[in-house]
Short mmCIF file of all heavy atoms in Angstrom, two decimals:
data_model
loop_
_atom_site.label_atom_id
_atom_site.label_comp_id
_atom_site.label_asym_id
_atom_site.label_seq_id
_atom_site.Cartn_x
_atom_site.Cartn_y
_atom_site.Cartn_z
N SER A 678 91.62 3.61 82.95
CA SER A 678 93.06 3.84 82.97
C SER A 678 93.36 5.33 82.73
O SER A 678 92.46 6.09 82.36
CB SER A 678 93.74 3.00 81.89
OG SER A 678 93.60 3.61 80.62
N PRO A 679 94.62 5.74 82.90
CA PRO A 679 94.99 7.14 82.61
C PRO A 679 95.13 7.42 81.12
O PRO A 679 95.56 8.51 80.75
CB PRO A 679 96.35 7.29 83.30
CG PRO A 679 96.52 6.10 84.17
CD PRO A 679 95.72 5.00 83.56
N ALA A 680 94.78 6.47 80.24
CA ALA A 680 95.00 6.64 78.81
C ALA A 680 94.37 7.92 78.26
O ALA A 680 94.97 8.62 77.44
CB ALA A 680 94.46 5.42 78.06
N ALA A 681 93.15 8.23 78.70
CA ALA A 681 92.48 9.43 78.20
C ALA A 681 93.26 10.69 78.56
O ALA A 681 93.39 11.61 77.75
CB ALA A 681 91.06 9.51 78.76
N ASN A 682 93.80 10.73 79.78
CA ASN A 682 94.55 11.91 80.19
C ASN A 682 95.87 12.03 79.42
O ASN A 682 96.32 13.14 79.12
CB ASN A 682 94.83 11.85 81.69
CG ASN A 682 93.61 12.21 82.51
OD1 ASN A 682 92.62 12.71 81.98
ND2 ASN A 682 93.65 11.94 83.80
N TRP A 683 96.49 10.90 79.12
CA TRP A 683 97.72 10.95 78.32
C TRP A 683 97.45 11.56 76.95
O TRP A 683 98.32 12.21 76.37
CB TRP A 683 98.30 9.54 78.17
CG TRP A 683 99.13 9.13 79.34
CD1 TRP A 683 98.75 8.40 80.42
CD2 TRP A 683 100.51 9.46 79.57
NE1 TRP A 683 99.79 8.26 81.31
CE2 TRP A 683 100.89 8.88 80.81
CE3 TRP A 683 101.47 10.17 78.85
CZ2 TRP A 683 102.17 9.01 81.34
CZ3 TRP A 683 102.75 10.30 79.37
CH2 TRP A 683 103.09 9.73 80.59
N LEU A 684 96.26 11.33 76.42
CA LEU A 684 95.91 11.88 75.11
C LEU A 684 95.50 13.35 75.17
O LEU A 684 95.83 14.14 74.28
CB LEU A 684 94.76 11.08 74.49
CG LEU A 684 95.08 9.67 73.99
CD1 LEU A 684 93.80 8.99 73.51
CD2 LEU A 684 96.11 9.70 72.87
N ILE A 685 94.80 13.74 76.22
CA ILE A 685 94.20 15.07 76.23
C ILE A 685 95.09 16.14 76.84
O ILE A 685 95.00 17.31 76.46
CB ILE A 685 92.82 15.03 76.94
CG1 ILE A 685 91.94 16.18 76.45
CG2 ILE A 685 92.97 15.06 78.46
CD1 ILE A 685 90.50 16.08 76.90
N VAL A 686 95.96 15.78 77.78
CA VAL A 686 96.80 16.78 78.44
C VAL A 686 97.70 17.53 77.44
O VAL A 686 97.80 18.77 77.50
CB VAL A 686 97.62 16.16 79.58
CG1 VAL A 686 98.73 17.11 80.04
CG2 VAL A 686 96.72 15.82 80.76
N PRO A 687 98.39 16.85 76.50
CA PRO A 687 99.20 17.61 75.54
C PRO A 687 98.39 18.61 74.71
O PRO A 687 98.90 19.68 74.35
CB PRO A 687 99.80 16.52 74.65
CG PRO A 687 99.76 15.28 75.47
CD PRO A 687 98.52 15.40 76.30
N LEU A 688 97.14 18.27 74.41
CA LEU A 688 96.28 19.17 73.67
C LEU A 688 95.95 20.41 74.51
O LEU A 688 96.04 21.54 74.04
CB LEU A 688 94.99 18.47 73.27
CG LEU A 688 95.11 17.29 72.30
CD1 LEU A 688 93.79 16.53 72.22
CD2 LEU A 688 95.51 17.77 70.91
N GLU A 689 95.58 20.18 75.77
CA GLU A 689 95.16 21.28 76.64
C GLU A 689 96.32 22.21 77.00
O GLU A 689 96.11 23.40 77.23
CB GLU A 689 94.53 20.73 77.91
CG GLU A 689 93.19 20.07 77.69
CD GLU A 689 92.45 19.79 78.98
OE1 GLU A 689 93.12 19.60 80.02
OE2 GLU A 689 91.20 19.76 78.95
N ASP A 690 97.52 21.66 77.09
CA ASP A 690 98.67 22.47 77.53
C ASP A 690 99.44 23.09 76.37
O ASP A 690 100.46 23.75 76.59
CB ASP A 690 99.62 21.60 78.36
CG ASP A 690 99.07 21.29 79.74
OD1 ASP A 690 98.01 21.87 80.09
OD2 ASP A 690 99.67 20.49 80.47
N ARG A 691 98.98 22.91 75.14
CA ARG A 691 99.73 23.40 73.98
C ARG A 691 99.76 24.92 73.93
O ARG A 691 100.77 25.53 73.56
CB ARG A 691 99.09 22.86 72.70
CG ARG A 691 99.91 23.09 71.45
CD ARG A 691 101.21 22.34 71.48
NE ARG A 691 101.84 22.30 70.15
CZ ARG A 691 103.07 21.88 69.93
NH1 ARG A 691 103.83 21.46 70.95
NH2 ARG A 691 103.57 21.86 68.71
N PHE A 692 98.65 25.56 74.29
CA PHE A 692 98.57 27.02 74.28
C PHE A 692 98.19 27.53 75.67
O PHE A 692 97.36 26.92 76.35
CB PHE A 692 97.53 27.51 73.27
CG PHE A 692 97.95 27.36 71.84
CD1 PHE A 692 97.70 26.19 71.14
CD2 PHE A 692 98.60 28.40 71.18
CE1 PHE A 692 98.09 26.04 69.82
CE2 PHE A 692 98.98 28.27 69.86
CZ PHE A 692 98.74 27.09 69.17
N GLN A 693 98.79 28.63 76.07
CA GLN A 693 98.48 29.26 77.34
C GLN A 693 97.71 30.56 77.11
O GLN A 693 97.81 31.19 76.04
CB GLN A 693 99.76 29.56 78.12
CG GLN A 693 100.64 28.34 78.36
CD GLN A 693 99.94 27.27 79.17
OE1 GLN A 693 99.29 27.57 80.18
NE2 GLN A 693 100.06 26.01 78.74
N ARG A 694 96.96 30.98 78.11
CA ARG A 694 96.25 32.26 78.01
C ARG A 694 97.25 33.42 78.06
O ARG A 694 98.30 33.32 78.68
CB ARG A 694 95.26 32.39 79.17
CG ARG A 694 94.09 31.43 79.09
CD ARG A 694 93.17 31.62 80.28
NE ARG A 694 92.02 30.73 80.21
CZ ARG A 694 91.07 30.66 81.13
NH1 ARG A 694 91.13 31.45 82.21
NH2 ARG A 694 90.05 29.83 80.99
N PRO A 695 96.91 34.54 77.40
CA PRO A 695 97.80 35.71 77.46
C PRO A 695 97.86 36.27 78.87
O PRO A 695 96.91 36.18 79.65
CB PRO A 695 97.14 36.69 76.49
CG PRO A 695 95.70 36.28 76.45
CD PRO A 695 95.70 34.79 76.61
N GLY A 696 98.99 36.88 79.19
CA GLY A 696 99.18 37.42 80.53
C GLY A 696 98.34 38.64 80.81
O GLY A 696 97.94 38.89 81.95
N THR A 697 98.07 39.43 79.78
CA THR A 697 97.26 40.64 79.94
C THR A 697 96.20 40.70 78.86
O THR A 697 96.31 40.06 77.81
CB THR A 697 98.14 41.91 79.85
OG1 THR A 697 98.80 41.93 78.56
CG2 THR A 697 99.19 41.91 80.95
N LEU A 698 95.18 41.49 79.12
CA LEU A 698 94.09 41.68 78.16
C LEU A 698 94.05 43.14 77.75
O LEU A 698 93.35 43.96 78.34
CB LEU A 698 92.75 41.26 78.79
CG LEU A 698 92.58 39.77 79.09
CD1 LEU A 698 91.26 39.53 79.81
CD2 LEU A 698 92.63 38.95 77.81
N GLU A 699 94.81 43.47 76.73
CA GLU A 699 94.87 44.84 76.26
C GLU A 699 94.97 44.88 74.73
O GLU A 699 95.56 43.99 74.11
CB GLU A 699 96.09 45.57 76.84
CG GLU A 699 96.06 45.72 78.36
CD GLU A 699 97.30 46.40 78.89
OE1 GLU A 699 98.23 46.64 78.09
OE2 GLU A 699 97.34 46.69 80.10
N ASN A 700 94.38 45.90 74.16
CA ASN A 700 94.56 46.21 72.74
C ASN A 700 94.04 45.12 71.80
O ASN A 700 94.63 44.85 70.75
CB ASN A 700 96.04 46.49 72.43
CG ASN A 700 96.59 47.62 73.26
OD1 ASN A 700 95.93 48.64 73.48
ND2 ASN A 700 97.82 47.45 73.74
N TYR A 701 92.93 44.51 72.16
CA TYR A 701 92.31 43.54 71.27
C TYR A 701 91.14 44.19 70.55
O TYR A 701 90.37 44.96 71.14
CB TYR A 701 91.84 42.31 72.05
CG TYR A 701 92.98 41.42 72.48
CD1 TYR A 701 93.45 41.45 73.79
CD2 TYR A 701 93.61 40.58 71.57
CE1 TYR A 701 94.51 40.65 74.19
CE2 TYR A 701 94.68 39.78 71.96
CZ TYR A 701 95.12 39.82 73.27
OH TYR A 701 96.18 39.04 73.65
N ASP A 702 91.01 43.87 69.27
CA ASP A 702 89.93 44.44 68.46
C ASP A 702 88.66 43.60 68.51
O ASP A 702 87.59 44.11 68.19
CB ASP A 702 90.40 44.57 67.01
CG ASP A 702 91.56 45.54 66.87
OD1 ASP A 702 91.30 46.75 66.88
OD2 ASP A 702 92.71 45.08 66.77
N GLY A 703 88.79 42.33 68.85
CA GLY A 703 87.61 41.48 68.88
C GLY A 703 87.88 40.16 69.57
O GLY A 703 89.03 39.75 69.75
N ILE A 704 86.78 39.52 69.96
CA ILE A 704 86.82 38.20 70.59
C ILE A 704 86.07 37.24 69.68
O ILE A 704 84.89 37.44 69.39
CB ILE A 704 86.15 38.22 71.98
CG1 ILE A 704 86.81 39.27 72.88
CG2 ILE A 704 86.21 36.85 72.63
CD1 ILE A 704 85.98 39.59 74.12
#
Side-chain angles (χ1 to χ4, degrees):
S678 79
N682 283 348
W683 277 96
L684 288 176
I685 204 169
V686 166
L688 296 168
E689 291 192 332
D690 287 353
R691 190 65 166 170
F692 287 88
Q693 303 299 316
R694 292 179 179 178
T697 59
L698 293 175
E699 296 178 354
N700 302 320
Y701 287 102
D702 297 281
I704 303 166

